[in-house]
Amino acid sequence: MLRTVSVASLLFPGLFALGAAGLGRARPRWTVADCVLVSARFVSSVQAVLATVSGLIVVFSCTDVITHRHWLAREYVWVLIPYMIYDTFAMYLCHWHKSNNQDQKYSLSSVKDFLRRERLMVVHHVFILVVLVPVAQYLRGELGDFFVGCIFTAELSTPFVSLGKVLIQLKLQHTLLHKVNGGLILVTFFTCRILLFPFMYWSYGRQQGLPLLQVPFHIPFFCNVANAFLIAPQLYWFTLICKKGARLFGSSPGSKER
């Protein structure tokens, strides 16, 4: 556990620092803000790939969705602790670089503005650290590695979301690549962050011989509550993605990004 936390604590900030410095040298015309933003999105994509691969390994290894074990289901949770802490700080740095107040980096007003604008993401990170980590590591006991793996795969859409933001940053939002990437965002987000939850209920029901609609009444109440807290922000973000997708696919090549 300590080794995993230590490696992750060095990996993500290290990749971020190396990425920002490398982009500064490779793209001398880019501003510091450009380098920081792209580097942060690169690190998010790296973590997403690691989480998705870990999740798929766990899911395909656990033929019994309740009792089968896989070491990655517990070990990768330790990676999430330093990553969520790093990512919150990286989000603040990106917010500060994009803001007009460049004089007071860690002022109270700057932090308050960040928390106001990114409150949903910050709450999401805190919820993972305060609720999901204890549940995944201790409270669930020896059960449910399959479902932990499923949750890991929700990160599949992150690299496409990050690429979309980078393309907009580089003013390439009217290219074919951006439209194709937008379609991939819709598909992967809907599949791995929305359909994921019915899939987990269906997997449990299939093993227990229960219809899908009866599963919520045959599992612990706190499981339904936890899933509700997890899917609620996903539905909100998916609504925003659909609105952006409607503008993207409904706009002409010469129209401006809103």
Side-chain angles (χ1 to χ4, degrees), residues 12-208:
F12 298 118
L15 282 177
F16 174 74
L18 287 174
L23 286 170
R25 293 183 178 181
R27 295 289 186 269
R29 293 185 179 182
W30 282 15
T31 65
V32 175
D34 291 332
C35 297
V36 166
L37 292 171
V38 173
S39 182
R41 285 155 187 161
F42 168 73
V43 176
S44 295
S45 298
V46 169
Q47 191 282 141
V49 171
L50 293 175
T52 301
V53 171
S54 299
L56 290 174
I57 291 173
V58 173
V59 168
F60 286 111
S61 298
C62 297
T63 54
D64 188 303
V65 303
I66 302 173
T67 61
H68 278 187
R69 309 297 313 282
H70 194 284
W71 64 271
L72 270 173
R74 200 169 291 272
E75 197 66 22
Y76 196 79
V77 174
W78 296 123
V79 176
L80 294 178
I81 297 175
Y83 174 74
M84 290 298 166
I85 295 172
Y86 147 80
D87 194 49
T88 303
F89 181 70
M91 285 167 51
Y92 173 75
L93 283 181
C94 292
H95 164 79
W96 181 78
H97 279 288
K98 289 188 295 185
S99 68
N100 294 322
N101 184 12
Q102 294 288 307
D103 295 327
Q104 299 179 339
K105 192 170 189 177
Y106 301 110
S107 67
L108 183 59
S109 62
S110 180
V111 173
K112 284 183 176 179
D113 186 55
F114 164 70
L115 293 175
R116 179 178 61 84
R117 292 177 180 271
E118 301 291 344
R119 57 184 176 275
L120 187 57
M121 281 299 297
V122 173
V123 169
H124 178 257
H125 282 35
V126 171
F127 180 79
I128 290 175
L129 291 173
V130 175
V131 178
L132 291 188
V133 169
V135 169
Q137 297 297 68
Y138 303 110
L139 299 181
R140 69 185 177 92
E142 303 295 317
L143 305 175
D145 282 14
F146 173 85
F147 300 109
V148 175
C150 286
I151 296 298
F152 289 164
T153 64
E155 290 293 324
L156 179 61
S157 62
T158 299
F160 302 108
V161 173
S162 296
L163 176 59
K165 292 180 178 179
V166 170
L167 291 174
I168 291 174
Q169 182 180 333
L170 298 178
K171 303 186 185 305
L172 298 174
Q173 63 266 41
H174 303 304
T175 61
L176 177 61
L177 175 60
H178 188 246
K179 290 196 173 186
V180 171
N181 186 69
L184 291 172
I185 291 173
L186 285 169
V187 172
T188 55
F189 198 100
F190 181 71
T191 302
C192 295
R193 296 201 178 216
I194 308 298
L195 289 184
L196 173 69
F197 294 92
F199 170 75
M200 291 192 292
Y201 280 76
W202 173 81
S203 299
Y204 178 87
R206 183 185 62 169
Q207 183 167 300
Q208 299 299 312

